[in-house]
Amino acid sequence: MTIHTGSCRCGLIALDASAEPTFRSYCHCRDCRKQTGAPVMAFVGFRDEHLTWHGEPKTWRAGGVTRSFCEHCGSQIGYRDERLPGEIYLSLGFMDDPENYPPTRHAFVERQLPFLHIDDDLPRFNGFSVER
Ligand SMILES: [Zn+2]
Ligand SMILES: [Zn+2]
């Protein structure tokens, strides 16, 4: 049963998820900023066994992290960390209804841009927000 869906800008890559996300977070790290071009990244985590993919994302790998994207439209799809097997962290904007996945924490807040103000009381981490 599909309860969540995601897709890239052009629709070449899409997915259905049959379970709730495991994780929702902002990431202020430099790698995420470089990858996305955005001042901050937000992620929605799912277990692989709950996902059905339509189309095959391209990937780029560095430092144990594999990031995926659509080769046609360039949309960022998500990342995997080899230290967190069986999970994928999807870009919030890849989800078709991103308003349904409010982040619950901030990671790498020491890298947060000084002009970026997000007014919330969420937990803030100087580093990863998920144990590796
Ligand atoms: Zn696309
Ligand atoms: Zn990051």
Side-chain angles (χ1 to χ4, degrees):
M1 185 183 67
T2 298
I3 55 177
H4 303 285
T5 60
S7 57
C8 67
R9 176 69 182 82
C10 77
L12 189 67
I13 311 292
L15 72 73
D16 305 322
S18 62
E20 294 301 325
T22 57
F23 180 77
R24 307 189 308 267
S25 180
Y26 291 107
C27 187
H28 299 274
C29 87
R30 184 175 184 276
D31 287 351
C32 287
R33 190 151 51 236
K34 282 289 184 189
Q35 189 75 27
T36 62
V40 62
M41 188 61 177
F43 290 107
V44 185
F46 286 98
R47 298 289 306 171
D48 283 324
E49 62 263 32
H50 298 138
L51 300 180
T52 302
W53 287 91
H54 309 283
E56 186 161 351
K58 291 291 179 188
T59 59
W60 183 78
R61 182 179 166 83
V65 171
T66 302
R67 292 176 184 262
S68 52
F69 56 95
C70 172
E71 66 178 315
H72 184 62
C73 69
S75 295
Q76 300 300 311
I77 293 170
Y79 83 92
R80 296 176 184 279
D81 188 320
E82 65 183 15
R83 294 164 291 182
L84 299 169
E87 300 233 341
I88 187 166
Y89 298 88
L90 298 169
S91 304
L92 178 67
F94 181 73
M95 301 309 294
D96 290 334
D97 298 300
E99 63 275 16
N100 292 343
Y101 314 98
T104 61
R105 60 192 77 186
H106 293 263
F108 288 94
V109 287
E110 74 274 18
R111 297 292 187 103
Q112 183 171 334
L113 294 174
F115 54 78
L116 182 69
H117 300 291
I118 300 178
D119 186 19
D120 62 37
D121 295 322
L122 299 177
R124 286 170 152 72
F125 297 84
N126 285 324
F128 292 113
S129 58
V130 175
E131 292 264 343
R132 259 65 167 173

